[in-house]
């Protein structure tokens, strides 16, 4: 038997495969196919979710499969049953598992002990499904992302980590403006660290941001103080290329990381971005189960 295909992080999957998944997502968006008839997805949530939960559920239904949605607190997991035992048991009932967890180690442990593919639906470390949808969205608007310039302005979080992985895999330049107190050690030949949001967005094709306080983050007041000059507003967007787009994984906080004028304005692609979670994840699930 070939090794099961987990979708845990973009840096663990080869670039050609990621591009093929994006191409397939584009095809499935044009014409749905019932490629997973009779398959069952279990999705487990340790944290709240709107987009991930609904897009995986609807996506699996459109592919002809079934879905079991579980809140970790309603499972024996919440009473101390181990991740390993949960993985072994779920593997006897379902064909694929998606997990949204606090600790990335929880995801890795689930994948290690599960005999069916596991998908990362966000952890404190990363959010790879989101960035697959973001790349699909970027390419719908502005063509192949290879060689393009993307600016990240704001907190150092799970969404940024997956953008950093994607920059290496899809060969685009990622400019990062983040307060030095929040920056985490990383390196990559496609990364550029910027002193200011203005330097970061100059002549880029796309500006991206996210909430200043992610689920599970402590000290929202401290973070707000550090990030107060990092709001993406019209003045900042005006420094990017004329046809640049704005992306945000949502949920958004107007007046904090982004102004209402930008997120609700002409350059914003956030509603397509949210819809594309559905198409990207359908292609991800098909890839996971196609071996
Ligand atoms: N962007 C995203 O993952 O949204 P949810 O938290 O609503 O799933
Ligand atoms: N960085 C955010 C993303 C939400 C989809 C969080 O982890 O809360």
């Amino acid at each position: 038997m070939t090794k099961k295909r987990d979708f845990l992080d973009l840096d663990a999957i080869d670039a050609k495969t990621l591009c093929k998944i994006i191409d397939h997502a584009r095809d499935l968006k044009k014409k749905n196919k019932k490629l997973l008839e009779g398959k069952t997805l279990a999705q487990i949530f340790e944290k709240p979710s709107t987009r991930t939960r609904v897009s995986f559920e609807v996506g699996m239904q459109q592919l002809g499969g079934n879905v079991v949605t579980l809140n970790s607190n309603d499972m024996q997991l919440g009473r101390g049953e181990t991740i390993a035992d949960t993985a072994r048991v779920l593997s006897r009932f379902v064909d694929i598992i998606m997990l949204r967890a606090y600790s990335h180690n929880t995801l890795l442990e689930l994948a290690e002990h599960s005999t069916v593919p596991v998908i990362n639906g966000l952890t404190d470390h990363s959010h790879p499904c989101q960035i697959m949808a973001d790349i699909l969205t970027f390419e719908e608007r502005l063509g192949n992302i290879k060689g393009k310039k993307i600016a990240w302005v704001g907190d150092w979080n799970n969404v940024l980590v997956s953008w950093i992985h994607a920059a290496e895999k899809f060969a685009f330049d990622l400019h990062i403006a983040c307060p030095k107190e929040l920056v985490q050690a990383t390196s990559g030949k496609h990364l550029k660290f910027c002193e200011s949001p203005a330097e970061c967005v100059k002549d880029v094709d796309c500006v991206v941001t996210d909430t200043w306080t992610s689920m599970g983050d402590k000290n929202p007041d401290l973070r707000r103080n550090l990030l107060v000059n990092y709001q993406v507003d019209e003045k900042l967007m005006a420094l990017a290329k004329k046809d640049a787009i704005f992306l945000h994984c949502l949920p958004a906080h107007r007046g904090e990381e982004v102004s209402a004028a930008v997120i609700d304005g002409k350059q914003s692609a956030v509603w397509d971005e949210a819809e594309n979670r559905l198409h990207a994840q359908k292609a991800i699930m098909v890839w996971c189960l196609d071996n």
Side-chain angles (χ1 to χ4, degrees), residues 261-277:
V262 168
I263 195 167
D264 301 319
K266 279 207 307 275
Q267 288 168 288
S268 174
V270 301
W271 312 119
D272 286 349
E273 181 185 6
E275 179 191 328
N276 283 335
R277 294 292 302 281

Side-chain angles (χ1 to χ4, degrees), residues 48-53 100 127 130 215 249-251 277:
S49 167
T50 298
R51 281 144 288 268
T52 305
R53 179 185 170 127
R100 168 165 287 194
H127 196 6
Q130 178 67 55
M215 292 177 275
C249 65
L250 307 176
R277 294 292 302 281

Side-chain angles (χ1 to χ4, degrees), residues 7-13 18 22 56 99 104 107 118-123 125-135 158-159 161-163 165-166 170 277 280-281 284:
F7 192 86
L8 302 181
D9 261 322
L10 301 183
D11 63 347
I13 299 172
L18 293 173
I22 299 279
F56 267 103
L99 173 68
H104 197 69
L107 176 80
V118 171
I119 298 175
N120 178 356
L122 178 150
T123 66
H125 175 63
S126 56
H127 196 6
C129 292
Q130 178 67 55
I131 278 49
M132 292 296 276
D134 293 3
I135 288 168
N158 43 10
V159 176
V161 167
S162 289
W163 270 108
H165 294 163
F170 291 88
R277 294 292 302 281
Q281 288 156 195
I284 290 167

